[in-house]
Amino acid sequence: MASRPHPDKLGTMSEPTKWEYVTVPLITHATKQILDQWGEDGWELVAVLPGPTGEQLVAYMKRPK
């Protein structure tokens, strides 16, 4: 499905933002440092959820392409 321009906050037409995503395993004792580093690289945290085994957390992040 093709994306179509939509009005932005000023009412002008703009293309929708295209995103790239990444999942990052979090080490419990270094969570802040890991998230800070990814944030410095332009990634925005979307969610933190348990990993597949339930023993580790996984951060879901996005940034504009």
XYZ file of all heavy atoms in Angstrom:
515
model
N 0.835 -1.160 0.000
C 0.000 0.000 0.000
C 0.893 1.241 0.000
O 1.766 1.381 0.837
C -0.868 -0.043 1.251
C -1.725 1.163 1.398
S -2.761 0.785 2.704
C -3.497 1.690 3.537
N 0.698 2.119 -0.934
C 1.522 3.320 -1.045
C 1.091 4.351 -0.014
O -0.100 4.523 0.251
C 1.394 3.891 -2.449
N 2.072 5.017 0.566
C 1.740 6.070 1.514
C 1.466 7.354 0.747
O 2.034 7.611 -0.304
C 2.867 6.261 2.521
O 4.051 6.615 1.847
N 0.544 8.133 1.277
C 0.180 9.379 0.623
C 0.558 10.543 1.527
O 0.587 10.404 2.750
C -1.319 9.406 0.349
C -1.743 8.346 -0.672
C -3.199 8.425 -0.954
N -3.914 7.919 0.224
C -5.203 8.071 0.447
N -5.948 8.721 -0.398
N -5.767 7.582 1.515
N 0.836 11.700 0.937
C 1.115 12.870 1.756
C -0.066 13.178 2.664
O -1.214 12.899 2.334
C 1.322 13.982 0.731
C 1.653 13.292 -0.546
C 0.921 11.976 -0.487
N 0.221 13.743 3.823
C -0.824 14.122 4.761
C -0.494 15.495 5.331
O 0.667 15.897 5.354
C -0.955 13.083 5.878
C 0.276 12.942 6.707
N 1.364 12.210 6.290
C 0.612 13.476 7.904
C 2.302 12.275 7.207
N 1.885 13.047 8.195
N -1.506 16.244 5.787
C -1.230 17.575 6.317
C -0.402 17.487 7.600
O -0.646 16.651 8.456
C -2.621 18.149 6.615
C -3.604 17.216 6.021
C -2.909 15.923 5.763
N 0.597 18.360 7.728
C 1.358 18.425 8.965
C 0.696 19.438 9.896
O -0.402 19.904 9.633
C 2.835 18.748 8.701
C 3.041 20.097 8.037
O 2.106 20.928 8.038
O 4.141 20.324 7.515
N 1.361 19.793 10.992
C 0.772 20.694 11.986
C 0.455 22.077 11.416
O -0.425 22.765 11.912
C 1.699 20.832 13.195
C 1.822 19.567 13.988
C 2.769 19.735 15.150
C 2.930 18.415 15.877
N 3.888 18.501 16.963
N 1.158 22.474 10.369
C 0.911 23.780 9.765
C -0.081 23.709 8.609
O -0.369 24.705 7.981
C 2.233 24.394 9.279
C 3.292 24.629 10.356
C 4.575 25.127 9.722
C 2.785 25.614 11.398
N -0.600 22.534 8.334
C -1.578 22.362 7.270
C -0.983 22.155 5.895
O -1.716 22.034 4.931
N 0.342 22.106 5.793
C 0.959 21.843 4.500
C 1.099 20.333 4.323
O 1.119 19.583 5.286
C 2.350 22.517 4.402
O 3.171 22.045 5.470
C 2.235 24.027 4.495
N 1.203 19.909 3.089
C 1.290 18.484 2.809
C 2.732 18.014 2.971
O 3.662 18.662 2.515
C 0.814 18.177 1.399
C -0.638 18.553 1.151
S -1.784 17.777 2.292
C -1.934 16.186 1.554
N 2.915 16.881 3.647
C 4.245 16.308 3.825
C 4.158 14.796 3.737
O 3.108 14.206 3.975
C 4.839 16.719 5.173
O 4.076 16.194 6.231
N 5.270 14.188 3.378
C 5.329 12.727 3.306
C 5.382 12.157 4.716
O 5.988 12.756 5.609
C 6.569 12.283 2.533
C 6.524 12.612 1.056
C 5.449 11.841 0.311
O 5.224 10.659 0.627
O 4.835 12.437 -0.584
N 4.760 10.999 4.949
C 4.859 10.367 6.268
C 6.309 9.977 6.566
O 7.076 9.671 5.655
C 3.987 9.115 6.154
C 3.450 9.079 4.781
C 3.965 10.248 4.019
N 6.671 10.008 7.821
C 8.017 9.615 8.236
C 8.212 8.124 7.997
O 7.345 7.322 8.336
C 8.233 9.926 9.729
O 8.004 11.312 9.938
C 9.623 9.550 10.175
N 9.342 7.770 7.414
C 9.709 6.364 7.260
C 10.668 6.030 8.378
O 11.595 6.795 8.668
C 10.338 6.115 5.890
C 9.332 6.310 4.770
C 9.928 5.983 3.443
C 8.871 6.191 2.359
N 9.371 5.838 1.046
N 10.447 4.892 9.025
C 11.220 4.506 10.207
C 12.044 3.261 9.944
O 11.672 2.416 9.140
C 10.274 4.204 11.375
C 9.413 5.343 11.765
C 8.131 5.583 11.360
C 9.747 6.418 12.637
N 7.663 6.736 11.934
C 8.626 7.271 12.733
C 10.889 6.747 13.366
C 8.620 8.420 13.514
C 10.878 7.889 14.144
C 9.758 8.718 14.211
N 13.157 3.154 10.661
C 13.874 1.889 10.746
C 13.811 1.460 12.205
O 13.686 2.298 13.103
C 15.315 2.010 10.248
C 16.201 2.951 11.004
C 17.615 2.968 10.436
O 18.135 1.905 10.055
O 18.211 4.054 10.380
N 13.851 0.166 12.427
C 13.666 -0.390 13.768
C 14.824 -1.310 14.133
O 15.477 -1.880 13.264
C 12.355 -1.191 13.834
C 11.145 -0.349 13.523
C 10.668 -0.239 12.229
C 10.479 0.339 14.535
C 9.564 0.545 11.937
C 9.367 1.114 14.253
C 8.909 1.214 12.953
O 7.818 1.989 12.671
N 15.033 -1.458 15.444
C 16.054 -2.373 15.929
C 15.583 -2.939 17.269
O 14.843 -2.279 18.008
C 17.426 -1.662 16.067
C 17.409 -0.606 17.147
C 18.546 -2.646 16.317
N 15.967 -4.181 17.528
C 15.748 -4.768 18.847
C 17.109 -4.944 19.495
O 18.067 -5.366 18.840
C 15.023 -6.130 18.769
O 15.744 -6.998 17.906
C 13.602 -5.965 18.260
N 17.189 -4.583 20.780
C 18.462 -4.583 21.488
C 18.314 -5.359 22.793
O 17.515 -4.974 23.650
C 18.897 -3.132 21.809
C 20.221 -3.117 22.545
C 18.958 -2.292 20.543
N 19.063 -6.453 22.977
C 19.019 -7.145 24.259
C 19.645 -6.256 25.339
O 20.662 -5.609 25.102
C 19.844 -8.411 24.038
C 20.583 -8.201 22.772
C 19.945 -7.088 22.022
N 19.007 -6.199 26.500
C 19.495 -5.357 27.594
C 20.147 -6.209 28.677
O 19.584 -7.212 29.104
C 18.344 -4.553 28.196
C 17.663 -3.566 27.247
C 16.476 -2.914 27.937
C 18.649 -2.524 26.745
N 21.311 -5.785 29.097
C 22.004 -6.424 30.210
C 21.586 -5.663 31.461
O 21.751 -4.438 31.534
C 23.531 -6.365 30.006
C 23.895 -7.066 28.705
C 24.263 -6.958 31.200
C 25.313 -6.799 28.245
N 21.038 -6.355 32.427
C 20.440 -5.726 33.597
C 21.358 -4.726 34.284
O 20.931 -3.631 34.636
C 19.985 -6.794 34.611
O 19.120 -7.713 33.944
C 19.245 -6.168 35.766
N 22.622 -5.042 34.451
C 23.523 -4.146 35.176
C 24.026 -2.984 34.325
O 24.730 -2.113 34.828
C 24.705 -4.930 35.769
C 25.622 -5.507 34.742
N 25.378 -6.722 34.141
C 26.765 -5.033 34.190
C 26.336 -6.975 33.264
N 27.189 -5.966 33.274
N 23.673 -2.945 33.012
C 24.148 -1.864 32.141
C 23.030 -1.253 31.303
O 23.289 -0.645 30.264
C 25.254 -2.393 31.234
N 21.787 -1.383 31.764
C 20.639 -0.915 30.975
C 20.755 0.558 30.609
O 20.581 0.934 29.451
C 19.325 -1.175 31.736
O 19.216 -2.573 31.980
C 18.123 -0.727 30.938
N 21.034 1.412 31.575
C 21.111 2.848 31.315
C 22.194 3.169 30.288
O 21.967 3.946 29.354
C 21.349 3.638 32.595
C 21.395 5.146 32.349
C 21.707 5.903 33.613
C 21.717 7.407 33.436
N 22.252 7.936 32.206
N 23.359 2.588 30.446
C 24.448 2.861 29.518
C 24.106 2.413 28.098
O 24.412 3.106 27.118
C 25.747 2.171 29.974
C 26.299 2.710 31.270
C 25.715 2.011 32.507
O 24.700 1.340 32.436
N 26.358 2.205 33.641
N 23.465 1.255 27.980
C 23.074 0.744 26.657
C 22.065 1.686 26.013
O 22.216 2.090 24.856
C 22.496 -0.686 26.775
C 23.593 -1.662 27.209
C 21.872 -1.128 25.447
C 23.076 -3.026 27.636
N 21.023 2.075 26.762
C 19.995 2.957 26.204
C 20.562 4.340 25.888
O 20.207 4.937 24.861
C 18.808 3.064 27.162
C 18.014 1.773 27.376
C 16.937 1.984 28.425
C 17.423 1.262 26.069
N 21.434 4.869 26.747
C 22.059 6.170 26.476
C 22.862 6.132 25.187
O 22.796 7.071 24.375
C 22.969 6.591 27.632
C 22.208 7.098 28.843
O 20.990 7.337 28.753
O 22.854 7.252 29.908
N 23.618 5.064 24.963
C 24.438 4.964 23.753
C 23.564 4.919 22.497
O 23.831 5.621 21.526
C 25.340 3.731 23.804
C 26.246 3.599 22.593
C 27.167 4.797 22.423
O 27.916 5.133 23.318
N 27.096 5.447 21.277
N 22.528 4.103 22.516
C 21.628 4.035 21.359
C 20.930 5.371 21.149
O 20.727 5.812 20.017
C 20.633 2.887 21.514
C 21.263 1.554 21.223
C 21.920 0.743 22.098
C 21.313 0.885 19.968
N 22.375 -0.387 21.465
C 22.018 -0.333 20.159
C 20.823 1.179 18.702
C 22.242 -1.226 19.120
C 21.050 0.270 17.669
C 21.751 -0.914 17.883
N 20.541 6.047 22.249
C 19.909 7.361 22.142
C 20.838 8.383 21.505
O 20.407 9.209 20.692
N 22.124 8.351 21.863
C 23.096 9.262 21.248
C 23.226 9.015 19.750
O 23.565 9.928 18.995
C 24.462 9.116 21.921
C 24.520 9.729 23.303
C 25.890 9.574 23.954
O 26.881 9.363 23.214
O 25.950 9.659 25.190
N 22.946 7.794 19.320
C 23.007 7.451 17.896
C 21.692 7.746 17.176
O 21.517 7.366 16.021
C 23.374 5.975 17.722
C 24.806 5.685 18.155
O 25.627 6.632 18.214
O 25.108 4.514 18.442
N 20.752 8.394 17.866
C 19.510 8.827 17.226
C 18.338 7.882 17.373
O 17.279 8.104 16.782
N 18.482 6.816 18.163
C 17.405 5.852 18.325
C 16.480 6.275 19.457
O 16.930 6.732 20.497
C 17.967 4.464 18.621
C 18.691 3.883 17.450
C 20.019 3.963 17.195
C 18.121 3.162 16.362
N 20.323 3.329 16.019
C 19.172 2.820 15.481
C 16.822 2.761 16.048
C 18.960 2.108 14.311
C 16.630 2.040 14.877
C 17.689 1.721 14.028
N 15.180 6.114 19.256
C 14.158 6.427 20.247
C 13.600 5.127 20.809
O 13.213 4.231 20.054
C 13.037 7.235 19.589
C 11.896 7.571 20.497
C 10.790 8.332 19.787
O 11.011 8.821 18.661
O 9.701 8.416 20.357
N 13.534 5.040 22.122
C 12.990 3.846 22.772
C 11.485 3.804 22.593
O 10.784 4.766 22.876
C 13.346 3.860 24.263
C 12.865 2.671 25.087
C 13.525 1.375 24.613
C 13.157 2.914 26.560
N 10.976 2.670 22.104
C 9.539 2.482 21.909
C 8.962 1.630 23.037
O 7.915 1.956 23.589
C 9.255 1.825 20.534
C 7.782 1.525 20.361
C 9.775 2.704 19.411
N 9.659 0.537 23.375
C 9.159 -0.366 24.419
C 10.295 -1.224 24.944
O 11.291 -1.438 24.259
C 8.050 -1.262 23.864
N 10.125 -1.707 26.162
C 11.016 -2.712 26.739
C 10.128 -3.869 27.172
O 9.195 -3.680 27.948
C 11.814 -2.171 27.944
C 12.633 -3.282 28.581
C 12.707 -1.014 27.527
N 10.407 -5.048 26.628
C 9.593 -6.232 26.906
C 10.492 -7.409 27.256
O 11.677 -7.421 26.893
C 8.754 -6.587 25.673
C 7.772 -5.522 25.186
C 7.177 -5.911 23.847
C 6.680 -5.302 26.212
N 9.943 -8.415 27.922
C 10.732 -9.623 28.185
C 11.128 -10.293 26.873
O 10.359 -10.294 25.915
C 9.778 -10.516 28.979
C 8.713 -9.605 29.496
C 8.611 -8.478 28.518
N 12.334 -10.844 26.851
C 12.799 -11.573 25.675
C 12.100 -12.916 25.550
O 11.247 -13.273 26.373
N 12.441 -13.689 24.527
C 11.771 -14.967 24.259
C 11.831 -15.961 25.425
O 10.887 -16.698 25.649
C 12.500 -15.529 23.044
C 13.340 -14.437 22.503
C 13.477 -13.391 23.557
N 12.928 -15.953 26.164
C 13.050 -16.901 27.280
C 12.487 -16.333 28.578
O 12.348 -17.061 29.558
C 14.525 -17.284 27.517
O 15.234 -16.100 27.929
C 15.159 -17.866 26.286
N 12.208 -15.019 28.588
C 11.703 -14.372 29.787
C 12.790 -14.015 30.781
O 12.522 -13.395 31.803
N 14.033 -14.395 30.494
C 15.139 -14.135 31.412
C 15.838 -12.817 31.137
O 16.573 -12.318 31.976
C 16.159 -15.275 31.327
C 15.600 -16.603 31.784
C 16.605 -17.726 31.617
O 17.795 -17.449 31.409
O 16.176 -18.893 31.681
N 15.639 -12.243 29.969
C 16.328 -11.019 29.582
C 15.320 -10.040 29.011
O 14.301 -10.437 28.447
C 17.390 -11.332 28.532
C 18.297 -10.180 28.190
C 19.402 -10.609 27.236
O 19.201 -11.484 26.397
N 20.553 -9.987 27.351
N 15.592 -8.744 29.166
C 14.736 -7.719 28.581
C 15.262 -7.353 27.197
O 16.462 -7.417 26.936
C 14.706 -6.477 29.463
C 14.087 -6.661 30.834
C 14.224 -5.385 31.651
C 12.622 -7.062 30.719
N 14.333 -6.942 26.327
C 14.682 -6.519 24.985
C 14.099 -5.135 24.758
O 12.914 -4.902 25.025
C 14.134 -7.495 23.907
C 14.424 -7.000 22.520
C 14.703 -8.892 24.124
N 14.926 -4.201 24.289
C 14.474 -2.849 23.953
C 14.105 -2.816 22.482
O 14.844 -3.326 21.627
C 15.574 -1.847 24.252
N 12.968 -2.220 22.170
C 12.522 -2.002 20.800
C 12.686 -0.512 20.533
O 12.160 0.313 21.269
C 11.068 -2.433 20.626
C 10.890 -3.929 20.738
C 10.841 -4.552 21.981
C 10.805 -4.718 19.604
C 10.707 -5.929 22.093
C 10.661 -6.098 19.700
C 10.609 -6.692 20.955
O 10.484 -8.046 21.054
N 13.444 -0.184 19.478
C 13.785 1.203 19.197
C 13.509 1.545 17.743
O 13.444 0.658 16.892
C 15.248 1.441 19.540
C 15.594 0.984 20.955
S 17.292 1.250 21.375
C 17.073 2.764 22.282
N 13.341 2.860 17.481
C 13.131 3.324 16.109
C 13.841 4.649 15.909
O 14.169 5.352 16.863
C 11.637 3.495 15.815
C 10.990 4.658 16.560
C 9.540 4.819 16.184
C 8.962 6.066 16.871
N 7.571 6.275 16.505
N 14.124 4.972 14.617
C 14.624 6.277 14.241
C 14.221 6.533 12.782
O 14.025 5.590 12.009
C 16.130 6.397 14.428
C 16.970 5.588 13.485
C 18.448 5.847 13.728
N 19.261 4.978 12.887
C 20.566 4.862 12.979
N 21.229 5.557 13.878
N 21.240 4.058 12.187
N 14.109 7.802 12.409
C 13.758 8.096 11.015
C 14.843 7.579 10.082
O 16.028 7.625 10.396
C 13.693 9.614 10.976
C 13.523 10.047 12.393
C 14.213 9.002 13.221
N 14.422 7.095 8.905
C 15.386 6.634 7.885
C 16.067 7.824 7.250
O 15.547 8.874 7.134
C 14.677 5.825 6.801
C 14.352 4.427 7.233
C 13.867 3.632 6.055
C 13.736 2.172 6.442
N 13.367 1.340 5.344
